[in-house]
């Protein structure tokens, strides 16, 4: 009798523990860190991802989004990811130089004529291969996200490359971008995104290059009287995670997380298309900054001055890759 009662008690204790245990099993936390404002393609993509995961994996996975360099800035986020302090980020493709030279491709000036060409290349076999360019360093690209083509903002009007001679421009941490500004005899300064507004406001630098949505959301247009519509380069993102974190996720969770991410990226891309037009117009309407359009002849001068940079990086990037990307313009 005693044995029977104690067995029943033990079994019910174990079931209570199991039930209790599963009820308090901690959800997987995905910290998503980024440097831009929430009203940008990347900010909107992250928030969409968070909502989709909450809807579909609530209780199992929690996404925490940290915008505006609140958690990590450009220079630290990938190191932090390898240490397990953050699980997702989407740095600009220009910020992977310490992990791979292959992604420098996307910084070559005047490589893509529009975002449709970028999209075609990224979807191609060569573009998909580049998602894995950082794998040996413990980071996997899960997808590309668009922001848009870059414009040049400055404290003085820039119509031809000679106008930029001797001026200081903030650039992202990319050797290609440094070479691009040296090619027009300007001085490039690698600085984190979080410092750009103050550098411009205090006139420590003369100009910078960025997309319409970044120029608008970070108020660069309020402290830069001129923006030349050059469309000379690209800011797109690699949505990235650590191999260790990604492979450590249970299979069913990984599949659902990837699905939510793909949908959020598609949403972010539609926001990018709207913002490239809408934020440009808002800046024009503000009258804080004059938008300079280039004539065909002026644009040719910028192309001729900057394009020799391609050859300098051909070995590191690979000529086949450059050719494949350029062919996407057709
Ligand atoms: C970003 O869009 O993530 C930042 C780009 C920059 O550093 O200029």
């Amino acid at each position: 009798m005693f044995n029977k009662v104690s067995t029943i008690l033990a079994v019910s204790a174990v079931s209570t523990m199991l039930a209790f245990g599963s009820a308090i099993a901690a959800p997987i936390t995905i910290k998503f860190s980024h440097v831009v404002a929430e009203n940008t393609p990347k900010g909107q993509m992250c928030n969409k991802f968070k909502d989709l995961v909450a809807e579909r994996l609530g209780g199992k996975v929690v996404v925490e989004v940290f915008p505006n360099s609140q958690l990590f800035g450009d220079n630290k986020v990938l190191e932090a990811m390898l240490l397990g302090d953050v699980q997702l980020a989407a740095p600009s493709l220009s910020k992977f130089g310490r992990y791979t030279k292959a992604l420098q491709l996307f910084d070559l000036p005047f490589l893509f004529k529009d975002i449709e060409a970028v999209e075609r290349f990224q979807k191609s076999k060569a573009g998909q291969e580049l998602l894995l360019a950082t794998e040996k360093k413990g980071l996997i690209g899960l997808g590309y996200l668009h922001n848009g083509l870059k414009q040049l903002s400055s404290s003085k009007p820039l119509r031809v490359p000679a106008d930029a001679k001797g001026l200081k421009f903030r650039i992202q941490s990319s050797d290609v971008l440094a070479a691009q500004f040296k090619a027009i005899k300007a001085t490039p300064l690698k600085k984190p995104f979080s410092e750009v507004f103050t550098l411009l406001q205090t006139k420590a630098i003369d100009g910078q290059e960025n997309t319409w949505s970044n120029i608008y959301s970070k108020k660069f247009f309020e402290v830069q009287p001129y923006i030349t519509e050059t469309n000379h380069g690209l800011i797109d993102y690699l949505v990235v995670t650590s191999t260790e974190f990604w492979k450590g996720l249970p299979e069913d969770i990984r599949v659902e997380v990837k699905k939510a991410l793909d949908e959020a990226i598609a949403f972010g891309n539609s926001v990018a298309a709207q913002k490239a037009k809408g934020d440009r117009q808002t800046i024009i309407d503000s009258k804080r900054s004059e938008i300079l359009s280039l004539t065909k002849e002026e644009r040719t001068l910028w192309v001729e001055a900057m394009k020799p940079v391609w050859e300098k990086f051909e070995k590191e990037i690979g000529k086949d890759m450059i050719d494949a990307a350029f062919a996407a313009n057709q």
Side-chain angles (χ1 to χ4, degrees), residues 112-122 145-150 211 231 233-236 269-270 272-273 276 328-329:
F112 297 107
K113 68 172 190 200
D114 50 30
I115 284 291
E116 288 70 31
V118 176
E119 174 80 12
R120 278 193 291 277
F121 173 68
Q122 289 175 347
L145 171 72
H146 298 315
N147 184 332
L149 296 180
K150 285 184 289 191
T211 59
N231 289 317
L234 172 75
I235 292 190
D236 259 24
N269 285 342
S270 68
N329 287 307

Side-chain angles (χ1 to χ4, degrees), residues 28 30 53 56-57 59-62 245-246 248-260:
I28 298 163
I30 299 181
V53 169
R56 298 173 189 172
L57 291 166
K60 292 186 190 160
V61 181
V62 175
F245 169 73
W246 193 242
L249 284 176
E251 171 79 17
D252 56 333
I253 300 266
R254 191 167 55 235
V255 168
E256 280 301 319
V257 169
K258 180 67 169 57
K259 227 171 110 197

